[in-house]
Amino acid sequence: MTTPAALNGFGSLISFILSISALRDWAKLLIIGSFFETCRRLLATLWSSMINSFFLTASFEDYDDSYKWMMIWLSKQPSWKNVRNVNISTSERYLGNVPRSEEELDPSGKPKVSYLPAVSGSYTLWYKYTWMRITRISEPIPGWGPNNRDSLTVSILARNHDILNTILQEAKKAYQNAQGSSITVYVSDSTNCWRELAKRRKRPLDSIILDPGIRELVVEDAQDFLASKQWYAERGIPFRRGYLLYGAPGSGKTSLIHSIAGELELDVYIISLSRSGLDDTGLSELISDLPERCIALMEDIDAALHNSLSREDPPTPPNKTAEPIPIPIPGLPTHTTSRVSLSGLLNALDGIGAQEGRILFATTNKYSSLDPALCRPGRMDLHVEFKLASRHQADELFRRFYLPSSPKTPVDDDREPNSNPAQSHPNGSTHDGGSSNLIDLGVPENTVDSPLSSPSACSEKSEGAAPMYIGTRHRGHAPKLSSEQLSALSAQFASAIPEREVSMAALQGYLMSRKSRPLEAAREVSAWLQRELATKKAESETKS
């Protein structure tokens, strides 16, 4: 209980403290300083709010397409030439920065360097009488070595969004023009983010030689799907489409996907189910982060998982010892094998978090090994079989292979002396045993190169002899054939090909080794085919 004496003592202490003039001055200074600091912060906040009310600020992350739009758009601005601090790049990631016309190339024929905004720098420029400030920031991703994540911040002195919308539309158009005749291929990184891998030129549809109707079937189905978004929405059906291409290796499955991506102007996102460290959650994140219009590609889906794409786990052999568990090292990323299960794959393809608007292509060489749940409609809607080469395909392949080249080809006078092992003798004959066939078709004999230099030919001269080599020099060019000659040779070539015995990839490899000798290609295909089939038979017997 507080006594009156204690209260009197406390009051006396307060009176004593207030009687000290220095403490009174300090209290006054504290109050005045606090007042002015409060006013300063209030004015700074009001000033910042007023300034920000006149600015639009937009941020772009490098994992989004809009980042690439802006980088290309910036490189095309006239005022960008006056920037004093830039990054120099020779990469073709930003095609808008890479010159393509011949007058923009250096004397060696290589593109000039690209000019990109320097990291951690701010720049100002004018666009349509509007002041802008550009800032590019690069931050390291914790725990993943040299990988960085870039961002771009654009501040525009404007009150409404019209100028920003104009810039975005112009930037998108500049990016599309920069894409030109190419598509972009993306892969996932260790943080389950999509990263640009490369750009690939579009491949014409007519360059894919398949059985009649297959190419048109897939292309027209995909085009109809992309145009049916409203139809799916009205009926409450998820707007997704899946294609399963199965059949023999080297039959053109991946090539068709490449061609379709160019025809539909869609980028390709490669989903590698066997990627180290990928699990069901990571796979769901990848598929949910896909853009609305794209092609998702899963190649060799039958071999993607460690065991098999089946709901049943294979039994473990009794003598199989458990694998040691890797011990993580602090500071380094832990790399493990893929842990994707079939149920996780099924949920990612058509679960509640699956992206809509995308087209899924899956390829497999072992159709029967796939689980029926993976192949049902809604996941894989259209199954297309790719068979080994037919005579029709062989005929079309030969015709396309030996079509006349573009006008810009080296002439025979530009060839190096003594570079052709099949030297012509003074009497006009060559070392090629099939010279009579050349004469019958009206093709000059000296336009055909020999695949293997002859030791006897080289022994005639001890000095300056032609080098020994096996194969075909890429510099050689096929003789110009008339349509009648080409038809006759293609028919001869196709007639020697048995139905469904060899792949188109094998035929293309054979023709590639004789790309400058169509006559020899048509004449020797039977002997090559016998060796090819014998090799395949021996390999199958060894495996069995």
Side-chain angles (χ1 to χ4, degrees):
M1 181 176 181
T2 305
T3 63
L7 293 176
N8 292 333
F10 182 74
S12 301
L13 178 63
I14 296 298
S15 300
F16 174 76
I17 294 175
L18 294 177
S19 65
I20 301 175
S21 59
L23 291 179
R24 291 198 302 268
D25 295 338
W26 291 346
K28 293 177 183 178
L29 289 176
L30 178 63
I31 294 173
I32 294 174
S34 300
F35 172 76
F36 279 106
E37 177 63 18
T38 302
C39 292
R40 186 193 68 81
R41 294 188 180 186
L42 180 60
L43 290 175
T45 302
L46 293 175
W47 175 258
S48 177
S49 301
M50 184 182 67
I51 293 299
N52 290 337
S53 66
F54 292 96
F55 279 88
L56 287 176
T57 301
S59 298
F60 305 89
E61 302 293 337
D62 63 347
Y63 54 79
D64 192 83
D65 286 344
S66 59
Y67 178 86
K68 290 177 287 185
W69 298 357
M70 293 302 300
M71 293 289 282
I72 292 178
W73 180 82
L74 286 172
S75 69
K76 292 181 175 293
Q77 298 309 306
S79 56
W80 190 253
K81 299 178 181 179
N82 301 324
V83 175
R84 311 297 296 174
N85 185 18
V86 295
N87 276 2
I88 305 299
S89 174
T90 58
S91 172
E92 294 190 15
R93 179 181 181 184
Y94 306 104
L95 292 180
N97 303 321
V98 180
R100 292 298 177 185
S101 58
E102 293 184 2
E103 59 270 13
E104 292 179 302
L105 300 179
D106 61 21
S108 64
K110 298 180 179 179
K112 292 181 180 179
V113 295
S114 306
Y115 295 91
L116 303 175
V119 178
S120 301
S122 296
Y123 317 89
T124 60
L125 56 88
W126 290 86
Y127 171 74
K128 292 184 178 181
Y129 307 104
T130 302
W131 186 86
M132 301 173 55
R133 182 174 66 246
I134 312 297
T135 305
R136 183 186 175 198
I137 301 175
S138 181
E139 299 177 347
I141 302 176
W144 294 104
N147 294 335
N148 290 341
R149 180 160 292 168
D150 294 351
S151 63
L152 193 70
T153 302
V154 180
S155 298
I156 308 172
L157 184 58
R159 294 296 301 272
N160 55 57
H161 287 191
D162 293 342
I163 185 66
L164 178 60
N165 294 334
T166 302
I167 291 175
L168 290 176
Q169 292 175 3
E170 189 173 318
K172 182 178 180 180
K173 184 178 180 180
Y175 175 78
Q176 292 174 343
N177 293 336
Q179 287 284 87
S181 59
S182 64
I183 59 174
T184 307
V185 181
Y186 295 86
V187 294
S188 61
D189 60 13
S190 54
T191 61
N192 292 329
C193 293
W194 290 109
R195 298 291 178 180
E196 181 178 324
L197 174 65
K199 292 188 180 294
R200 295 289 179 262
R201 288 192 175 275
K202 295 178 181 178
R203 183 169 179 177
L205 275 174
D206 56 6
S207 68
I208 309 299
I209 303 173
L210 302 173
D211 287 330
I214 292 182
R215 182 179 59 198
E216 293 77 9
L217 169 67
V218 181
V219 173
E220 293 175 0
D221 188 273
Q223 290 174 337
D224 182 74
F225 164 75
L226 294 175
S228 304
K229 183 176 181 180
Q230 185 63 29
W231 186 92
Y232 279 81
E234 291 174 352
R235 290 153 180 80
I237 303 174
F239 185 51
R240 295 187 289 264
R241 189 72 172 168
Y243 299 87
L244 179 60
L245 311 184
Y246 66 95
S251 54
K253 297 185 288 293
T254 304
S255 298
L256 178 62
I257 297 171
H258 181 183
S259 181
I260 291 177
E263 179 70 16
L264 303 180
E265 297 184 352
L266 301 177
D267 292 333
V268 178
Y269 290 74
I270 300 178
I271 302 175
S272 177
L273 299 179
S274 58
R275 198 200 76 197
S276 176
L278 184 65
D279 55 10
D280 293 345
T281 303
L283 179 62
S284 298
E285 292 178 0
L286 287 176
I287 294 183
S288 63
D289 288 342
L290 289 172
E292 184 176 354
R293 288 175 58 91
C294 71
I295 288 179
L297 174 60
M298 296 182 181
E299 292 191 279
D300 296 327
I301 196 172
D302 58 293
L305 300 183
H306 292 289
N307 299 314
S308 64
L309 286 180
S310 174
R311 294 176 183 267
E312 301 178 358
D313 295 331
T316 303
N319 57 352
K320 181 70 174 180
T321 58
E323 296 182 357
I325 301 176
I327 301 176
I329 301 176
L332 294 179
T334 303
H335 296 286
T336 59
T337 57
S338 174
R339 299 185 298 273
V340 176
S341 64
L342 177 61
S343 60
L345 174 60
L346 299 180
N347 291 331
L349 291 181
D350 63 354
I352 192 172
Q355 178 61 281
E356 295 192 3
R358 55 92 179 134
I359 296 178
L360 172 66
F361 277 95
T363 65
T364 179
N365 298 332
K366 299 178 180 179
Y367 181 71
S368 59
S369 66
L370 300 182
D371 192 284
L374 180 63
C375 303
R376 72 165 178 80
R379 293 172 180 146
M380 302 296 175
D381 302 279
L382 189 62
H383 303 187
V384 182
E385 182 180 7
F386 285 68
K387 301 179 181 179
L388 293 173
S390 64
R391 289 193 175 93
H392 165 76
Q393 291 176 278
D395 183 90
E396 291 295 325
L397 179 63
F398 191 96
R399 289 173 181 271
R400 174 165 291 276
F401 214 89
Y402 295 108
L403 282 175
S405 303
S406 59
K408 231 179 176 182
T409 56
V411 294
D412 293 340
D413 296 337
D414 294 337
R415 295 188 178 184
E416 300 176 5
N418 297 330
S419 62
N420 185 358
Q423 301 291 338
S424 298
H425 289 283
N427 58 5
S429 62
T430 66
H431 290 295
D432 192 339
S435 59
S436 59
N437 293 337
L438 304 180
I439 297 174
D440 291 341
L441 287 171
V443 180
E445 297 179 20
N446 56 7
T447 60
V448 181
D449 295 339
S450 173
L452 176 62
S453 58
S454 172
S456 60
C458 295
S459 63
E460 295 178 359
K461 296 182 180 180
S462 58
E463 296 181 0
M468 295 286 295
Y469 67 92
I470 296 177
T472 306
R473 296 196 321 163
H474 195 275
R475 192 174 182 180
H477 294 273
K480 293 183 179 180
L481 302 175
S482 66
S483 58
E484 293 80 7
Q485 293 171 344
L486 186 59
S487 298
L489 289 175
S490 63
Q492 178 184 351
F493 177 80
S495 63
I497 304 298
E499 289 284 344
R500 314 301 182 186
E501 292 290 339
V502 293
S503 66
M504 289 292 290
L507 291 179
Q508 180 173 309
Y510 168 78
L511 294 179
M512 194 66 193
S513 66
R514 294 160 176 79
K515 77 181 193 69
S516 60
R517 304 187 304 279
L519 304 166
E520 180 180 322
R523 185 176 61 249
E524 297 183 355
V525 64
S526 298
W528 169 83
L529 192 59
Q530 291 179 1
R531 295 192 300 270
E532 187 77 7
L533 296 178
T535 302
K536 290 178 61 176
K537 183 178 180 181
E539 291 177 352
S540 61
E541 292 177 353
T542 302
K543 293 179 181 180
S544 60

